[in-house]
Amino acid sequence: VLYKENVGTGTPTPVTPEMERVKRNQEICSSVLYKENIGKATPTPVTPEMERVKRNQEIISSVLYKENVGKVTPTPITPEMERVKRNQEIISSVLYKENVGQATPTAVTPEMERVKRNQEQISSVAYREGLGKATPSPVTPEMERVKRNQEQISSVLYKEHMAKGTPTPLTPEMERAKRNQENISSVLYSDSFRKQVQGKAAYVLDTPEMRRVRETQKHISTVKYHEDFEKSKGSFTPVVTDPITERVKKNMQDFSDISYRGIQRRVVEMERKRVDQDQENLTG
């Protein structure tokens, strides 16, 4: 306090690049001298007693920290804060996955599946019990505009931070696996469709309004059909007849005659055989 009372009024000076350089050099020199003065130490093993004391110190520090925390002013959580929080969680997840070492996989037993389902149900029940009453707020056009802007900004920032990838050649094995996956997906989709949709009709109430609309549509279709018919009546599209078209037409007619006569001849023979057989049965 006395030191601050004796300090007079000073003249502020701007921080120049030279001053920044000198400051960084001083910090580097201080760090080097500090490391030079450190002597050699003898490492000691970490005993269970030391672990217990360390945990107790952390608990005491946490309690004292919470006691010294004063009253704070709550601030509303804005969409920007939510976006930054999600980005931090994604970054933390990426860093966590990078530091994860190799693990030994264990088989998922039916007992583990049962415990997992029970835990999910308990968590869902506890979550719903802790939910309070909320006041719904209408979604205004301004909120929709801000939401779209945030999505566009996030998309632009995401694309800016994307690194360049290394293209890999598409081998025949990859093509085969891709086709197999498409076939499996198609089979599963068809099975699901047959089980859930196929053979089931969608029931719709036949109200007087729907009947009126249906009758009106029929009348409109009939009027439109007659109108188009009257317009096209008496008109034709001329087609040029060349020798090739004539030859193809004659060949098609010959093929039709041969095919028809051959089938007719077989029908007549089969009918004759059937009549002869009936007569033999009657006489015999």
Side-chain angles (χ1 to χ4, degrees), residues 10-63:
T11 302
T13 58
V15 180
T16 61
E18 182 65 21
M19 294 173 67
E20 289 286 340
R21 186 182 62 80
V22 172
K23 184 178 178 182
R24 284 197 300 273
N25 291 339
Q26 289 293 331
E27 291 175 355
I28 295 170
C29 293
S30 300
S31 175
V32 172
L33 293 175
Y34 172 75
K35 292 180 180 179
E36 288 180 354
N37 294 327
I38 294 177
K40 295 181 180 180
T42 304
T44 57
V46 180
T47 60
E49 182 66 17
M50 294 173 67
E51 289 286 342
R52 186 182 64 80
V53 172
K54 184 178 178 181
R55 283 196 301 273
N56 291 339
Q57 287 295 329
E58 291 177 353
I59 294 170
I60 293 169
S61 299
S62 177
V63 172

Side-chain angles (χ1 to χ4, degrees), residues 119-132:
Q119 288 294 328
E120 290 176 355
Q121 294 173 359
I122 293 169
S123 300
S124 177
V125 172
Y127 171 75
R128 292 179 182 176
E129 290 178 353
L131 282 174

Side-chain angles (χ1 to χ4, degrees), residues 237-243 245-246:
T237 303
V239 179
V240 179
T241 304
D242 55 351
T245 305
E246 288 290 339

